[in-house]
Structures are given as C-alpha cells and as structure tokens.
Amino acid sequence: MISKQDIILLLTELEDNGIDVNAQLRKTIISPTISLDVIKFINDNRQLDLTAFYEGLRKNYNHKKSKLYISIVKELENPTDVITTLSSYNLQVALYSKQAQDSQLFLKHARAKEVNIVLAKYYDTYDLTNCIKLLRLIKADLVACETIAGRREE
C-alpha cells in the first residue's frame, strides 16, 4: 500500500537525482487519490522494490520454482491454501527485504504488518475472512505493479 507521503518522498528522491518531477508532484498533491501514472513515472525512473519483488515471484513461477505467484493471482478459498499462501508470501517478503533499496518502505508497501496481523487473528479465531480479503488486496497490488511495469493492460 503506497501512501501519498510515500509518493512525495519518492518523487523528492528523484528530484534530488536531477529528474523533473514538478508535474507529478503537483498531480499527487492536488488529487484525492493516488495516480497509477505517477507511480509508473516513479517506477520508470527508479524501479520500486515492490515491482521488482512481484516480478521475481512471476519469474519463479514461470521457471517452475514456486507456485506463490499463481496462488496469489487465483481466488483461493481452501483454508489450507489461503494460510499457506499468506505464510509463504510473508516469508518471501522478509527474505526480499534484505536486498530492498529501502527495506522499511518495501515492508510497508508489501503489507508485511497486515499479513502478520491477519495470520495471528486466524490462529486465534480460525476465521478466514480477513485472510481472504488481504489476499485480494495483495492480488490488486500485484496487478497494479504489473500494469505500471507494462506487463498487463489497464
């Protein structure tokens, strides 16, 4: 989940590197929502860790090394599959964070805290509702990242 503050921070970083970000900064400040084309602009000039992470998941799936990507993309309802997918995702996020340019920002964007909260709740209540909702949000994030990276049509 990328916030407006994150966008402004990333745009400021690009500006410090000599990239003109005035139009994107203005659009971000004025707009009540976060614009995908501003995120695409950022990603085009400095690949977001989240985009690189999801790209890695896709490559691992394409090379038959992992089923995590497809487990996120398809709608899961089997309790074991949902929990296994979220747990696997959580582990991969933790492992990737070691190589991220900004690990704290990556963990935030990858929803690491949210994953841990819903898994902990599940282990107390065995209610999958929040796990399924979060998995759908992660899928939406993945699709958005693939869209800005040019892998999917909007």
Side-chain angles (χ1 to χ4, degrees):
M1 165 175 67
I2 299 176
S3 69
K4 270 190 164 190
Q5 289 176 328
D6 297 338
I7 297 294
I8 292 169
L9 175 76
L10 291 166
L11 286 171
T12 304
E13 182 183 305
L14 290 176
E15 186 175 49
D16 291 345
N17 291 326
I19 297 169
D20 180 18
V21 299
N22 289 329
Q24 289 76 20
L25 197 53
R26 194 174 314 110
K27 187 174 189 173
T28 300
I29 292 169
I30 292 172
S31 177
T33 60
I34 295 171
S35 170
L36 263 186
D37 57 319
V38 172
I39 296 173
K40 180 176 178 8
F41 174 84
I42 293 167
N43 195 63
D44 288 348
N45 288 284
R46 172 208 181 273
Q47 186 177 35
L48 295 168
D49 287 318
L50 191 63
T51 305
F53 171 71
Y54 286 136
E55 191 174 294
L57 290 183
R58 177 191 271 264
K59 284 180 182 175
N60 285 340
Y61 172 70
N62 288 343
H63 293 101
K64 312 253 186 274
K65 293 180 182 177
S66 170
K67 292 183 182 179
L68 181 56
Y69 176 86
I70 198 67
S71 295
I72 293 170
V73 172
K74 67 181 182 177
E75 295 288 321
L76 300 173
E77 303 236 350
N78 178 322
T80 305
D81 293 340
V82 171
I83 298 307
T84 302
T85 299
L86 279 176
S87 296
S88 297
Y89 177 81
N90 194 35
L91 175 60
Q92 291 304 311
V93 165
L95 291 170
Y96 186 86
S97 71
K98 292 187 215 176
Q99 69 187 50
Q101 292 177 39
D102 184 335
S103 61
Q104 289 181 345
L105 205 54
F106 168 70
L107 290 169
K108 178 182 175 189
H109 295 168
R111 302 177 183 268
K113 182 178 179 181
E114 294 166 75
V115 171
N116 283 294
I117 289 170
V118 298
L119 285 172
K121 273 186 182 173
Y122 171 78
Y123 295 131
D124 281 341
T125 65
Y126 299 102
D127 180 3
L128 274 181
T129 307
N130 289 327
C131 294
I132 292 171
K133 285 180 184 176
L134 182 57
L135 209 46
R136 287 181 181 147
L137 284 174
I138 291 169
K139 176 184 175 181
D141 292 346
L142 185 149
V143 168
C145 284
E146 287 187 336
T147 299
I148 65 169
R151 290 209 170 272
R152 287 182 185 246
E153 297 295 319
E154 287 184 67

